[in-house]
Amino acid sequence: MADGQEKTGKMSDGLQVELFHPDSDREPGDTNIEKWGFDVHPVVFPVALAIIAIFIAVTVLLGDDAAAAYSWLFTFIGENFGWFYLLAVNIFIVVLLYFAFGKYGGIRIGGVEAEKEFDDFSWMAMLFSAGMGIGLMFFSVLEPVFYYASPPGFWGVEAQTGAAASAAMAQTFFHWGFHPWAVYGLVGLGLAFFSFNRGLPLTFRSIFWPLLGDRIYGWPGHIIDLVTVFATLFGLATSLGLGVAQVNRGIQYVSVEILGVLGSFPNNTITQIVLIAGITAIATLSVAAGLDSGVKRLSTINLYLMFALLGFLLIVGPTIFVFGSWVQGLGTYFGNVLELGFYRGTMGAGGGTVTAWTVFYWGWWIAWSPFVGMFIARISKGRTVREFVLGVLFLPSLFSTIWLATFGGSALQGAVQGDGAGAVVGAYNELGYAAFETLGMFVMLEQYPLGAISASLATLLVITFFVTSSDSGSLVIDHLTSGGKHDVPKAQRVFWAVTEGAVAALLLWGGGLGALQTAAITTGLPFAVILCLMCYTVYLGLSNEYQILESEAFAQRVEDLTAEGDLEVVTSGDTTVTNIREGDDTASGD
């Protein structure tokens, strides 16, 4: 770095600390215990481990009773609190759009001199890999086929018709579009702002500084971070459980059904636990390598593999039908998104679908939001609020709809345009939901050329998503249990990577996917309340930042900076400073 840049960084960092950081002598991890290669928070780390161990022990020891209790709890939360999930996620969308397109949109994450740590392509690659990967692979065929065969009551259409196909695509877009990414975007923005703009620990407790002040370092903050750890761990375990079930079925289907290998590759819980152990070992190596060497590299590989599989299917599959179903599905989605977002089914048909699918998804996204949001925050320094929201909310949503239309449309094409049900829908009708759940992707790929290769690529992609989800989640939980430190010991990252795999394996053993799904939706409920409060605290933080940027004291400091060095001041509108960087000694509009 040049001398001028070093001077700019020091001056601007001092400016950020002097005018923007809270008046507190606390530092991230300043009370940590450093021992045996670990650097952990003295309360959050041991308490989180103890409660996780108790939950796992109860699940394994009670066996079928635990599975029955989870099923009851899943239904109870869905039926009694489904309305709250729907309302909360809609509020998140409105709040996020207000931050992006209002006067706070020009505020830069990290301060006016912050630079982007990652280029746009790497940033988008990590967004996709962390946010949706395994779920898109698992549900992209299953969900449209299910809705085609059993349309939600909201749509009022006849099953297995053209109208049912359009409704199926729109309903699937709804579950994977703006709503989940709004949850991730809100959480990521709050975490990034209070960590990089206020110098607070990169944990959820920091978001509540405007309400709690120094009490975020006491038990109120401990409780917030503990809930965040549980939501992250169990939301992640749900994705890992879904992913390993599909990997197991993929290996079996490719080896036995497509290649005709003699014998049978077992598809059961024991096999899936062994697969979790093997994939977790790979994830451990990746997470030990760190964010730049491990996570970034694997995320980029993931994106290339996604594009390869997507492009292959677009070429060999029903290309025209796919694009037509994408456009028609988008039209149906946009035409009904407002009503869908608030539809509970209380005064009409479709309440069962809302509970079984929408409420589960919203609970899952909320439970996953600490993991995805904190990871997004960690990689988003240097971007403006508007750039952040546009990148997080719209681009991944658009890509998700293209992916879903390609895979879902390819699965439905034979039924919609053929004489009968088509091979994929026919397999669903014959096998039923439970058997088709992990098989649908591979049945669809077999209908097109080079089915063995594409199915193998799909299985590999699920594995790489498993690895990136695990090591990204490990980095996030490290932050939470180390008092918000950005850098933690390698042994600690490895510990959490192994723990995540163990939790997923034990929950699979104790109650199957039902236990994982219930764990996600249950931890998502209290966390949804925290996110509602977070809307207000982020507003307070951005409002305070904007007032300082508009103040005379800040203007005077900027004038002093430009007088001392060859700097360029970038503004939004007439006066609000969004960036200070090396350049001409002139002001320019943004």
Side-chain angles (χ1 to χ4, degrees), residues 385-403:
V385 170
R386 186 173 296 112
E387 180 184 6
F388 176 92
V389 172
L390 291 176
V392 173
L393 183 59
F394 291 103
L395 293 180
S397 299
L398 178 63
F399 179 82
S400 294
T401 63
I402 295 173
W403 180 276

Side-chain angles (χ1 to χ4, degrees), residues 521-546:
I521 194 174
T522 302
T523 54
L525 181 60
F527 205 72
V529 178
I530 291 177
L531 296 191
C532 288
L533 290 174
M534 194 182 79
C535 292
Y536 180 60
T537 61
V538 175
Y539 163 76
L540 292 178
L542 290 174
S543 178
N544 177 254
E545 181 101 351
Y546 184 80

Side-chain angles (χ1 to χ4, degrees), residues 158 218 246 261 307 383 414 460 505 516 555:
E158 184 180 349
Q246 195 169 32
V261 177
F307 283 147
R383 301 179 185 274
L460 175 62
L516 293 169

